């Protein structure tokens, strides 16, 4: 029973399933390969209809899907609703824009007709995390499927119910069996699936360890991979910042989803001249958060997804306190609290502490005092991670220069880091490589092919005839 979901609030089992057998895995891989042979020849109109239907079903059944998310991994119901609706918007974005992103591009070159065309590759293996169990999957799957690929989902073992709901979602939207397949397999089987000829590429969102494993397997098989790994995003507050604005965003960025987000603000680099005031305002807001039942509208801080995650987090916090960090609020966790970790702030965090160097995946904010903007940039870039970062200042020009200097995939001035279907998303350094979302994301999993044709200029009639022949060949 590898797939097991325990409700973080009630501690009740809500889902269980056995891993697929080897023969079952082989059957699903065969189905995916056969499905790709047909789907790669589909028109953009057909793909658009499918992904638009997925978006509509998400919107129409938002409460149902949000309830599944909350039940399995503990997200606040309001946050789960927002995740489902964001997933729908991501699907609509690719349904509306994929054709233009992937349309043929004519090039002036050594030929009568030279163009760049984007063609589907095959079946994409999506290895996805539990913290955003719908959004992470659908931002990958909607792009891959609109490009003419099929998708194999290996979801996290504690959100099997979400994984099954996603597979059924595609079937309900009109997808033929095999276009989107849920693989209930353990992590130990991922490398073998990557090596199978069915799989053309792999996308992973997860830990550094998982990223290294998947990248190694993909490299051995000479297959493409996109990795979105951990983050320790800096939240830089300069001396001239609007502190109230910064604090309000700090609370949301750090404590949304119980702090379980790769792009959450984790290291708060505060100019020493305003640090005391910032911390006072931050503490007041954080202590207003209410930990409890994620289905209760009065709850503003959800439980963490699993008890073991709370214990790992508290080990990091305890080590920091033992090494001189100052407790501002929270940090009083014990095993009896289950998955409920209090909203916490640590001040005067230094390089000797784990919370300074490691990703802190939970509701704990680490304050690092700096004496200048230059020191803030140096500290921000000293991390092995490089996913996102934000800068808070009334001098927008200075803020832009600092944002440009940050070694990360996304940098924001006077707003919190977030993903948007319209902009590329990903990281550098040990936060991974490749991009999701926007036109850049959809092109990660296509064959960007050069066609050079000599023999005279093509008439519109012959071009149309050639197009018909190509479509017929694709469908064979």
């Amino acid at each position: 029973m590898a797939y097991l979901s325990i409700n973080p609030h009630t501690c009740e089992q809500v889902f269980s399933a056995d891993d697929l057998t080897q023969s079952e895995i082989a059957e699903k891989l065969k189905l995916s390969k056969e499905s790709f042979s047909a789907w790669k020849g589909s028109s953009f109109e057909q793909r658009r209809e499918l992904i638009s239907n997925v978006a509509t079903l998400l919107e129409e059944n938002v409460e149902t899907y949000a309830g599944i998310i909350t039940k399995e991994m503990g997200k606040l119901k309001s946050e789960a609703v927002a995740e489902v609706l964001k997933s729908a918007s991501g699907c609509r974005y690719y349904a509306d824009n994929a054709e233009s992103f992937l349309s043929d591009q004519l090039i002036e070159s050594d030929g009568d007709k030279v163009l760049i065309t984007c063609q589907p590759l095959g079946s994409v293996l999506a290895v996805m995390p539990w913290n955003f169990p719908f959004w992470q999957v659908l931002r990958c799957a909607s792009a891959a499927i609109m490009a003419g690929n099929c998708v194999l989902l290996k979801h996290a073992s504690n959100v099997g119910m979400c994984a099954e709901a996603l597979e059924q979602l595609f079937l309900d939207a009109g997808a033929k069996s095999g276009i989107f397949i849920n693989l209930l397999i353990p992590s130990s089987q991922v490398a073998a699936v990557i090596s199978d000829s069915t799989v053309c590429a792999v996308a992973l969102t997860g830990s550094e360890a998982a990223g290294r494993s998947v990248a190694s397997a993909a490299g051995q098989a000479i297959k493409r991979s996109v990795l979105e790994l951990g983050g320790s995003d800096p939240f830089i507050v300069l001396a001239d910042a609007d502190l109230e604005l910064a604090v309000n965003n700090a609370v949301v960025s750090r404590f949304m989803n119980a702090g379980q987000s790769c792009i959450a603000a984790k290291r708060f680099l505060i100019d020493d001249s305003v640090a005391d005031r910032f911390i006072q305002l931050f503490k007041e807001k954080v202590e207003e958060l209410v930990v409890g039942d994620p289905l209760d509208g009065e709850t503003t801080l959800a439980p963490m997804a699993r008890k073991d995650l709370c214990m790992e987090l508290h080990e990091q916090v305890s080590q920091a306190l033992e090494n001189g960090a100052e407790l501002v609020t929270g940090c009083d966790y014990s095993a009896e609290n289950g998955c409920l970790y209090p909203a916490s702030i640590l001040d005067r965090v230094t390089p000797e502490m784990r919370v300074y160097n490691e990703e802190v995946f939970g509701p704990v904010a680490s304050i690092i005092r700096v004496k200048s903007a230059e020191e803030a940039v140096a500290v921000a870039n000293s991390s092995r991670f490089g996913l996102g970062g934000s800068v808070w200042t009334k001098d927008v020009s200075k803020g832009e220069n600092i944002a440009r200097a940050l070694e990360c995939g996304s940098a924001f001035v006077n707003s919190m880091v977030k993903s948007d279907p319209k902009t590329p998303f990903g990281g550098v350094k040990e936060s991974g490589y490749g991009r999701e979302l926007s036109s850049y994301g959809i092109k990660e999993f296509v064959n960007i092919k050069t066609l050079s044709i000599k023999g005279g200029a093509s008439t519109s009639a012959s071009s149309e005839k050639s197009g018909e022949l190509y479509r017929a060949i694709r469908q064979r």
Side-chain angles (χ1 to χ4, degrees):
M1 190 184 295
Y3 277 74
L4 179 65
S5 303
I6 304 296
N7 184 312
H9 178 65
T10 65
C11 299
E12 296 173 345
Q13 178 179 308
V14 295
F15 178 85
S16 65
D18 293 329
D19 291 334
L20 296 176
T21 64
Q22 290 299 318
S23 62
E24 288 171 334
I25 294 172
E27 288 174 8
K28 289 183 181 291
L29 291 173
K30 180 182 177 183
L31 175 60
S32 185
K33 179 177 286 189
E34 292 171 349
S35 297
F36 173 67
S37 295
W39 185 246
K40 68 180 179 180
S42 61
S43 66
F44 278 108
E45 289 74 17
Q46 291 172 303
R47 300 173 195 174
R48 185 179 300 114
E49 181 181 10
L50 171 58
I51 299 303
S52 294
N53 286 347
V54 169
T56 297
L57 287 174
L58 288 167
E59 292 162 348
E60 292 176 347
N61 300 283
V62 59
E63 291 290 330
T64 299
Y65 293 127
I68 294 172
I69 293 171
T70 295
K71 186 179 292 185
E72 271 203 306
M73 58 76 56
K75 193 188 300 284
L76 291 180
K77 184 66 177 296
S78 59
E79 293 178 347
V81 166
E83 178 181 343
V84 175
L85 294 178
K86 185 173 183 176
S87 300
S89 71
C91 289
R92 291 205 185 282
Y93 174 79
Y94 275 121
D96 293 341
N97 293 286
E99 184 173 8
S100 63
F101 290 157
L102 302 179
S103 61
D104 290 353
Q105 180 182 358
L106 287 169
I107 301 295
E108 292 288 338
S109 186
D110 182 22
D112 296 316
K113 181 180 180 182
V114 179
L115 57 85
I116 299 169
T117 187
C118 295
Q119 299 176 336
L121 288 174
S123 296
V124 176
L125 175 63
V127 183
M128 294 289 117
W130 50 262
N131 58 331
F132 289 90
F134 270 59
W135 167 241
Q136 300 278 13
V137 173
L138 289 168
R139 75 185 191 188
C140 171
S142 59
I145 290 172
M146 281 302 301
N149 299 304
C150 291
V151 171
L152 294 157
L153 170 64
K154 187 277 182 254
H155 220 324
S157 60
N158 62 325
V159 287
M161 188 160 50
C162 287
E164 289 198 342
L166 286 162
E167 183 176 49
Q168 189 61 49
L169 168 64
F170 276 90
L171 294 173
D172 292 344
K176 292 184 178 180
S177 179
I179 291 177
F180 182 99
I181 294 176
N182 175 32
L183 290 179
L184 293 175
I185 60 172
S187 298
S188 59
Q189 288 292 320
V190 169
V193 171
I194 292 173
S195 69
D196 189 276
S197 61
T198 301
V199 174
C200 67
V202 56
L204 173 133
T205 299
S207 67
E208 297 165 78
R212 289 189 178 92
S213 176
V214 163
S216 176
Q220 287 291 326
I222 315 180
K223 294 180 180 179
R224 298 188 189 188
S225 60
V226 170
L227 306 180
E228 195 262 281
L229 308 179
S232 188
D233 288 7
F235 187 102
I236 299 172
V237 179
L238 301 185
D240 69 340
D242 180 333
L243 291 186
E244 186 172 345
L245 175 68
V247 165
N248 288 337
N249 279 271
V251 174
V252 177
S253 184
R254 173 64 282 198
F255 297 100
M256 183 179 65
N257 204 34
Q260 300 167 124
S261 172
C262 295
I263 54 170
K266 298 190 175 88
R267 295 177 296 147
F268 292 82
L269 281 53
I270 316 298
D271 189 288
D272 200 46
S273 65
V274 295
D276 288 341
R277 179 59 178 158
F278 176 89
I279 292 169
Q280 178 187 348
L281 294 172
F282 195 25
K283 179 177 183 288
E284 290 171 1
K285 292 286 187 180
V286 168
E287 289 182 342
E288 292 175 0
L289 295 173
V290 179
V291 183
D293 183 352
L295 293 173
D296 187 338
E298 298 299 315
T299 300
T300 52
L301 181 63
M304 292 182 65
R306 301 193 312 264
K307 183 177 178 179
D308 63 301
L309 298 173
C310 290
M311 298 179 74
E312 290 173 14
L313 175 64
H314 197 57
E315 287 179 5
Q316 292 174 302
V317 170
S318 298
Q319 191 270 350
L321 292 171
E322 290 169 1
N323 283 271
E326 294 182 5
L327 190 159
V328 176
T329 190
C331 303
D332 53 343
Y333 174 80
S334 68
E336 288 71 29
N337 296 117
C339 296
L340 301 177
Y341 201 95
S344 305
I345 303 172
L346 293 170
D347 187 17
R348 301 190 185 278
V349 169
T350 60
E352 297 78 25
M353 302 169 191
R354 290 176 58 191
V355 294
Y356 185 101
N357 299 294
E358 299 176 0
E359 180 174 27
V360 180
F361 213 66
V364 177
S366 300
I367 306 290
I368 302 171
R369 296 177 180 238
V370 295
K371 299 188 183 305
S372 65
E374 292 74 18
E375 183 183 359
V377 171
V379 172
N381 290 342
S382 68
S383 173
R384 69 178 187 272
F385 297 106
L387 196 53
S390 63
V391 185
W392 302 82
T393 176
K394 292 176 182 175
D395 186 337
V396 176
S397 177
K398 184 176 185 179
E400 180 179 342
N401 289 333
I402 291 173
R404 287 178 178 274
L406 295 179
E407 296 169 355
C408 58
S410 300
F412 291 68
V413 179
N414 294 326
S415 62
M416 59 180 274
V417 178
K418 58 184 180 295
S419 60
D420 183 326
K422 298 184 289 295
T423 58
F425 182 82
V428 296
K429 300 194 281 189
E430 293 188 27
S431 287
Y433 53 75
R435 291 295 179 266
E436 292 182 291
L437 303 176
S438 80
S439 62
Y440 296 92
I442 198 170
K443 289 180 180 178
E444 291 283 0
F445 297 128
V446 295
N447 175 20
I448 302 175
K449 184 181 194 176
T450 297
L451 294 180
S452 181
I453 303 159
K454 286 194 174 185
S458 299
T459 65
S460 59
S462 63
S463 295
E464 176 60 28
K465 187 173 182 180
S466 297
E468 292 174 359
L469 175 62
Y470 170 59
R471 286 189 288 274
I473 292 172
R474 286 199 305 171
Q475 291 170 349
R476 290 177 184 170

